[in-house]
Every structure is written in structure tokens, then in C-alpha cells.
Amino acid sequence: NLQDDSDYLPTFLRRRMPAMSRPRLLLVLAGCLLVLVGACISVVVEMVIESAVRASVAMDTNDEFDEAMRGIQSPYYTHIWNITNLAQVLEGEKPALSQVTYRMRYTEENYAPRWRDGRREVEYRSWWAYEPFDDETASRLDAERIVQVNPVYLGIVAAFGGTEPDADYGISYLAVTAIAQTVESYLDNLRNSSMSLNLARGGSLSDDPDSPEYVRRVAGADSWYEARGAQFGNSSVTRLNEQNCCVESFPIEFPVVTGLTLSPDEANAFLDTFSNQTRSYSFIASLLASDVGAISLYADAGLSLTTLAQYIDYLFSYAPRDYFVDYVLASGNSGLFTTRSPREVLFGYRDTFFEYYAASYSGILGVQYASKEAQDRVNPPLIYAQKTGKATLKRAGTYTLWRNTTMMANRPDIPLKSGERYSCESLQHYESCRIWLDPVRPTGLTYKRVEPFREGKRKRSYVLWIPELMRPVSVVFEKDETIKGVRGRKYVPADSALLSANCSATTPCNPDNANYRMWGPSYHASMATTQGGVPASVTHPALGKMDNRYRHDLFDGLPEYEESSMGTYVVIEPLTGFFIKGHKRLQYSFDLHATSLTYHSHLFRRASSLYFPYLWFDDTDTIDDADAEHLRRVYSSRLHAKIWTAILVFLGSLCLCGTLVYDRVFPPAPRQDQEDLLEVDTSAVRDTDDKASFVA
């Protein structure tokens, strides 16, 4: 019977329910409610956190794209190796290197999003720039000087045959072009100084410097074009003006070099033919093939096959090496070694080679544009695409398009200055003409974030796309690490990614790296084809982890490799999958081989190959304070939810347990209906006493 409520209960309940006081009922209800609320708090908080994470990881609206992909900035440090003993290096001594550091800033702006496949994929354009961090750094970039290997020279050697002697054939047209320009420059100076010549001779000439009389009087020819041939073929213009104080003799004329004179027509035919890249290549190919029939075709251009031996001597001996490399390039700071400002090292410079061969050298950081508008004018524009995470968060941020391509394929040819192309396989047969890795799809490789909701189960490794290597690399778990109060997991590149594939000569090794043609030493990875085919490679800073026979035995000044200051790693926050801290520290080096640089044999007295350190960079970023505070609040709310859950469940349990002992601690008072029942029973006893006889 329930106190005060028994009249409202059916009879069978009044007979069967145990007696329960109102306080006990309230304790039961309160206990159940507290336990239920406590359990719901954690569930609701987890649902809110999951919803927030999904919203932050998925990127399927313009606002989310702008927030995640615009205005990206991060610190960027470059450490350039400076050769401090170039004179001794040229005599065969070990290069002494000193490290010079510059603080930079990396800026990235992604724009023009186009949504595809129901917003499961976004296509966009990207503009980036590397800039000095402050005015002091900008001043240092211009004022200081760096002595280093000249990548332009290496690129020319690679592009024109792969060895210096072979390059002599390839650059002969550059040399003849320079020679033709030198002769024309001399004639222009003579033409412009005709007044002084006229006064010196005491006569008068026509005011028209192109008139036949004027040219005959000054240059001994009917036209300046004929004068060019006469000067190159037999030095006649110099002899005509040898009494003039302002005219210098030239050491480049054909008879000076070969001892054989040429007629003006033949000399002009020589300059016109062999300063043209396509015709020069065709002539070289005919010579290498000993194709007399093909060579004879050049007689139609005005050349004489009776002087073929002298042509060859001039083209492939004197012109490229003695004149172009040793004179033009050396005087133009363009040999194998060059002195440049740090700004030129990073952002490029105009090199004497490239003045003849191409537009410009863009520096180790590659081509960058002053603005998005300037980049948009590139044809074709650089297009990227990635998964948005709308369909599945596991693939959020994975590439589906990277710089206009979904596959890294072989490069079939090299563009020439004239815009024409020639086939690598049909002419030079050199490896640098191809991209260095087998075709590989970047689709599905992560960038800046990985799959979320991994805090419950630690993932042993991830696969990341490394643009400098143009290949995927596994990063493996090393340890837990806290960044600005946010717990994360530190991952480092697996050593197997940079081990040599040549297991017969190198230990340890990784035969799978044969797919990437890594036949050299371990911890050295050949890069994809760079500007002009420069034989470049990627290593750890200071050639770290490589055997000492490639480091201290060949270079002075390289510091010992330290993982803490030179290692690459990333710290991943497991709930969101975002990178909360990381350092990408990689070094660009140039591969110098004795078989290629045969004119610089003094460099290879100690080893047949040098992996010459050029510079290394530290691309670093750390979660900002606002995002770290946001993540701390997320984890704090989860912790608070657990605490309140525990408190409420504990209080609810106390309430439920209290119902078991409540009646003992607080015994219930007798009820009125029980007292009435006692009175009735007593009178019944009295009635029974009156009937004692019956009882007996």
C-alpha cells in the first residue's frame, strides 16, 4: 500500500505491491534521471565534436574553400652552401663549404574553385611566392655573394649530349652564333664611327652609311653583309683599317684559327648554316653517321666540301671550347662555377649560356609569378584538384589533379630556342632527357591532412606525396608529442624510401626503389628532370646519413647530421587528421661525374662522382594559437563531459543505493488505518473473553 495514494490504486496492486514511501520513490526517480543525464552528456558532446570535425575537414562550399585554401603563409628557411676556396678547388683540393642562412616567407593563394561530381571534388588554381622575411633579409640577398656550381652549365652539358666533349658538338651553333654576333658588332662599331675614319683619310663620304660607296670605302665590300663574310673569311676589313687607332684585331676569323681563307660567300654560308640550330644539328648528325650523301647537300648552301676538315676543326674544337667556354663564358661568369648573389641563386639570373640558348634561368625555387593575373596568362594554366570529403572523409584532401596531370610520364623531347623540338632517342641518347621515375599516379596521396577520427586506434604509417621527389613516401609513427597543449603523433619518413636499389653494392638497400632508378648510394634520390636537364638530386641536409666516403672524404665544413635540427617529420592531430607541426628539410645537390665533366678531371682525384651540396631548405609550419585554443576547447569539453558524466552517474547510483537503507534509517510512522484495525481487533478479543465458556 502506498501512503496517501492507496485509494487510487486497484485492489490487486494494493495487495501485491510492497510498501514504498514517497521519499524512496523520489530517490529512485532522481537516481535514474541522473544516470540517464550523465550518459547522455557524453553522447551528445561526442556527436557535437564529430559534427564539428566533419565540418572542418570536409570542404564543399565556397566559404569553406576560402577559409582553408586562401591566405596560407608559413616560415621558410634556406641554407646555401658557399665555396670558400674556389682557387684551391680548381687545383684539385677538397671544396670547403660554409653555410649561409636566410629567413624567407612562403605564401600560397588558391582561387577560382570549380565544383565537380556533386561537390565531391574541387578543381582550382594555385599561386605561390617565396619572399624575404624582412627588409634586412632582402638587403642581404642582394649584397652578399655565393660561389657555387653553375646549374646552367650542367644543364647545357646534359642537354647537348651528357658529356663536355659531346656538348661541344651541341653548343657549336651557340658558339657560331656568338662569333657571328661579335663580327656584326665590330662592323656596327665601324659603321657608326665612319666619321672619324673619314676625317682620318681626309676625304668625304655619302651621308648614307649603307650606300655601296660608303661600305667600299670603309669595309672594302659592296654591302655590310658581304663585309661580314669578308671579315670572317679573310680578315680583310681589319687589314683595311689596321692603321686606325680605334680598330682591334679579332682572334676568331676562320684563317686565324685554321690557316685557310674563305671567300665572302662561303664565309657567310658557314655563319648562316652553323648558327642555325636545326641545320647545325642535322650537319652534326650527318657527320656522326658518316653520311656523305647528307653532307653533300650542304654544298647547295654555298659550303665547300673540300674544306670539310677545317669546318670540323673550327666547329668542334676551337669555337665551342677555346672561344665560347673559355673566353665568352668565363668572362661572363658562366663556367662550371659561378659567383652569384643569394637572390640569383634562389630566384634565377640571366646567364651567358641562356642568353643564347633560352629565355632565362628561374633559380632553385623554380618559376614564380608576380601575381595571380600573371600566372593566369601561362598557357596552359596550372590546375589542381582534390577530393572535398563530402562523400567520405577518408579521402578528403587527396589529389586527383596535380599541375594539369594525373600521371607523371616520360618527357619525350626538349624544346629548342626556336620553338622546334628534337627527339632525345634519335639524337643524343641521354638519361636526363626523361623524367627519372616510372609513371606514378598522385591520386589518393595525402597533403596537409590525413583521415580523421584515428585517436582511438594509432595508425602505424601514412603515405605522403613529396613534390621534390615526385613520388610517394611512407612516414612511420615515432612517438606521441604535444604541441601548444594539443596532443599529436609524430611521424618521420621511413628510411626505406631513400635506400639504394643496388643491393649488390650497398647495405642497407631497398630493391623496390629500382622503380625510381635509385642505383646510386643510399640516402640519395635523383630528382625529376629539372630546368635544362640539370642532374640534380635530393638528400638529407649536409648529405646526412650518407657514407663518409661521400661526405667528409670529399668536402670540408659539412656538419654532422642531427635529426633534431635537420630531420623531416610531421605531427598529426588524430581527431581531425590535420598536421599541427612539421619540418620538411631536404637538400638539393648536383651530381658531378668524371665521365661527364671530362674537362674538369682535377675535381675527381678522390672519387669518380661528387654529390655536390647546393642548398637545403626548412619548410616549417606550426598550428597557430587560435586553432590550438580551439582544439584544446574541444578536448576540454570532452574531458568536462566525462567528468560530469562520472559525477552524475555517481550521484544517481547513490540515490538508488539510498532506497535500500532508507526505511531502516528513517522507519515509517504508523498509519491511521492500522490503528483503527487494532481497535477493532481488541474489541473482538473482549467479545471472545465474555464467551469464556465457549472458549473452554
Side-chain angles (χ1 to χ4, degrees):
N1 295 316
L2 298 177
Q3 184 177 351
D4 299 331
D5 296 323
S6 58
D7 293 340
Y8 299 97
L9 293 175
T11 304
F12 75 95
L13 284 179
R14 291 201 301 269
R15 292 175 180 174
R16 289 168 173 79
M17 287 187 62
M20 180 179 292
S21 63
R22 176 174 290 179
R24 289 181 63 196
L25 177 62
L26 293 177
L27 285 175
V28 170
L29 294 176
C32 292
L33 182 62
L34 289 172
V35 171
L36 179 62
V37 171
C40 289
I41 285 179
S42 291
V43 174
V44 171
V45 169
E46 288 298 325
M47 291 175 61
V48 172
I49 290 175
E50 180 176 347
S51 176
V53 170
R54 289 183 178 276
S56 65
V57 174
M59 182 182 61
D60 55 2
T61 67
N62 287 336
D63 289 341
E64 290 172 347
F65 180 89
D66 291 344
E67 183 179 357
M69 304 292 283
R70 290 183 181 273
I72 299 173
Q73 285 193 345
S74 61
Y76 191 96
Y77 294 86
T78 58
H79 309 269
I80 305 177
W81 299 107
N82 182 38
I83 303 172
T84 60
N85 63 334
L86 181 60
Q88 290 75 22
V89 170
L90 296 177
E91 295 176 357
E93 297 297 324
K94 288 197 299 184
L97 304 176
S98 65
Q99 179 177 280
V100 189
T101 300
Y102 303 92
R103 187 180 185 185
M104 311 289 289
R105 180 191 297 109
Y106 173 76
T107 301
E108 180 179 325
E109 188 77 12
N110 301 290
Y111 59 100
R114 294 178 57 191
W115 305 97
R116 303 169 57 182
D117 191 21
R119 293 187 176 259
R120 292 180 176 86
E121 183 177 319
V122 60
E123 183 181 286
Y124 59 93
R125 300 186 182 187
S126 183
W127 171 83
W128 65 92
Y130 298 90
E131 304 168 317
F133 181 78
D134 51 25
D135 292 340
E136 179 184 356
T137 303
S139 177
R140 290 181 59 206
L141 290 178
D142 292 322
E144 297 178 2
R145 289 295 177 265
I146 299 293
V147 179
Q148 253 294 347
V149 170
N150 186 6
V152 177
Y153 184 92
L154 296 177
I156 293 294
V157 171
F160 291 102
T163 69
E164 285 178 316
D166 289 339
D168 286 349
Y169 291 92
I171 67 173
S172 61
Y173 88 92
L174 296 177
V176 174
T177 299
I179 289 170
Q181 291 177 354
T182 302
V183 175
E184 292 164 359
S185 177
Y186 162 64
L187 295 177
D188 284 342
N189 291 335
L190 185 64
R191 178 178 183 272
N192 295 332
S193 63
S194 59
M195 186 59 67
S196 63
L197 295 176
N198 180 38
L199 293 176
R201 291 170 181 170
S204 62
L205 296 176
S206 167
D207 292 336
D208 182 8
D210 294 322
S211 66
E213 179 188 11
Y214 191 103
V215 179
R216 278 195 298 270
R217 188 78 176 271
V218 173
D222 291 334
S223 66
W224 290 111
Y225 179 76
E226 181 183 336
R228 186 188 73 157
Q231 174 61 24
F232 179 72
N234 55 47
S235 306
S236 61
V237 179
T238 299
R239 290 196 303 273
L240 180 63
N241 294 275
E242 60 186 357
Q243 300 300 322
N244 189 281
C245 65
C246 301
V247 178
E248 298 179 357
S249 178
F250 281 80
I252 60 174
E253 290 86 351
F254 198 84
V256 174
V257 176
T258 66
L260 182 70
T261 61
L262 302 176
S263 68
D265 289 340
E266 185 178 357
N268 274 327
F270 182 94
L271 293 177
D272 291 340
T273 297
F274 298 117
S275 63
N276 179 279
Q277 187 174 23
T278 302
R279 282 181 284 176
S280 178
Y281 277 162
S282 178
F283 181 77
I284 293 169
S286 301
L287 285 178
L288 295 177
S290 299
D291 189 345
V292 178
I295 296 173
S296 64
L297 296 176
Y298 287 85
D300 297 337
L303 300 175
S304 172
L305 298 184
T306 60
T307 55
L308 182 61
Q310 286 79 9
Y311 289 168
I312 295 174
D313 182 49
Y314 191 95
L315 284 172
F316 307 138
S317 178
Y318 169 77
R321 180 56 44 188
D322 297 340
Y323 175 72
F324 193 65
V325 173
D326 293 343
Y327 176 68
V328 175
L329 299 186
S331 61
N333 191 23
S334 185
L336 176 59
F337 296 97
T338 184
T339 302
R340 299 288 175 179
S341 69
R343 186 181 295 275
E344 290 176 312
V345 170
L346 297 176
F347 300 109
Y349 49 86
R350 297 197 63 85
D351 186 275
T352 307
F353 255 141
F354 268 50
E355 291 290 336
Y356 293 97
Y357 174 62
S360 64
Y361 169 63
S362 301
I364 200 68
L365 295 178
V367 179
Q368 65 179 36
Y369 302 92
S371 64
K372 295 184 295 185
E373 293 72 21
Q375 180 168 295
D376 284 342
R377 291 191 288 269
V378 177
N379 188 25
L382 301 180
I383 305 296
Y384 300 78
Q386 61 177 268
K387 291 292 185 181
T388 64
K390 183 174 183 178
T392 170
L393 293 182
K394 186 175 182 180
R395 297 198 63 196
T398 58
Y399 282 123
T400 57
L401 192 65
W402 193 82
R403 296 191 182 185
N404 309 323
T405 185
T406 57
M407 178 176 286
M408 303 299 125
N410 288 342
R411 195 172 84 174
D413 47 31
I414 293 178
L416 304 181
K417 181 180 179 181
S418 63
E420 301 170 350
R421 294 174 179 270
Y422 67 93
S423 169
C424 298
E425 289 75 11
S426 65
L427 188 59
Q428 262 79 27
H429 305 288
Y430 47 85
E431 179 64 22
S432 63
C433 190
R434 297 187 190 89
I435 209 162
W436 65 276
L437 73 163
D438 290 342
V440 94
R441 287 188 180 274
T443 303
L445 304 178
T446 53
Y447 175 65
K448 293 187 178 178
R449 55 186 169 184
V450 294
E451 58 185 285
F453 305 118
R454 300 292 303 188
E455 70 270 35
K457 182 180 179 182
R458 179 180 291 115
K459 193 163 182 177
R460 180 179 174 274
S461 65
Y462 292 97
V463 177
L464 304 181
W465 173 255
I466 307 297
E468 291 77 13
L469 295 176
M470 295 289 283
R471 61 169 289 190
V473 172
S474 293
V475 292
V476 296
F477 174 77
E478 184 183 64
K479 64 178 181 178
D480 293 322
E481 187 164 319
T482 300
I483 307 298
K484 295 185 177 181
V486 179
R487 291 174 296 176
R489 295 166 184 168
K490 182 178 179 181
Y491 290 81
V492 298
D495 274 351
S496 58
L498 292 179
L499 294 181
S500 173
N502 187 4
C503 293
S504 62
T506 306
T507 302
C509 66
N510 181 8
D512 292 339
N513 283 336
N515 294 328
Y516 304 103
R517 302 172 188 163
M518 293 177 59
W519 300 108
S522 288
Y523 306 106
H524 163 274
S526 298
M527 285 181 64
T529 302
T530 55
Q531 296 180 69
V534 180
S537 57
V538 172
T539 67
H540 291 298
L543 302 179
K545 298 187 178 182
M546 292 182 69
D547 192 277
N548 273 336
R549 67 178 184 270
Y550 303 110
R551 302 181 70 245
H552 298 310
D553 293 352
L554 303 179
F555 301 97
D556 289 332
L558 288 179
E560 292 296 333
Y561 177 78
E562 295 183 3
E563 193 72 35
S564 60
S565 59
M566 297 181 177
T568 294
Y569 69 89
V570 61
V571 179
I572 298 175
E573 196 284 309
L575 175 64
T576 61
F578 283 110
F579 296 179
I580 58 175
K581 185 176 182 179
H583 285 272
K584 183 169 65 174
R585 298 167 173 142
L586 297 173
Q587 176 172 292
Y588 292 117
S589 301
F590 293 123
D591 299 352
L592 311 184
H593 303 290
T595 55
S596 176
L597 303 176
T598 55
Y599 297 154
H600 296 82
S601 57
H602 54 277
L603 296 176
F604 305 99
R605 293 178 181 176
R606 295 170 181 82
S608 60
S609 296
L610 295 176
Y611 303 104
F612 211 101
Y614 191 62
L615 63 79
W616 67 278
F617 61 85
D618 184 353
D619 186 1
T620 178
D621 200 6
T622 304
I623 185 173
D624 60 34
D625 294 339
D627 288 339
E629 175 63 25
H630 178 71
L631 281 173
R632 287 197 299 269
R633 286 200 302 268
V634 169
Y635 280 105
S636 176
S637 64
R638 172 183 282 176
L639 177 62
H640 291 163
K642 291 180 179 180
I643 292 174
W644 278 108
T645 295
I647 292 174
L648 293 177
V649 170
F650 176 74
L651 292 177
S653 300
L654 285 180
C655 290
L656 294 175
C657 293
T659 61
L660 301 177
V661 298
Y662 182 84
D663 287 340
R664 296 182 182 179
V665 177
F666 305 102
R671 297 192 316 202
Q672 184 62 41
D673 57 345
Q674 292 175 333
E675 296 175 355
D676 294 341
L677 181 58
L678 289 174
E679 293 176 359
V680 172
D681 291 341
T682 302
S683 62
V685 170
R686 287 197 300 268
D687 291 340
T688 303
D689 290 339
D690 292 341
K691 300 176 180 179
S693 58
F694 177 78
V695 174

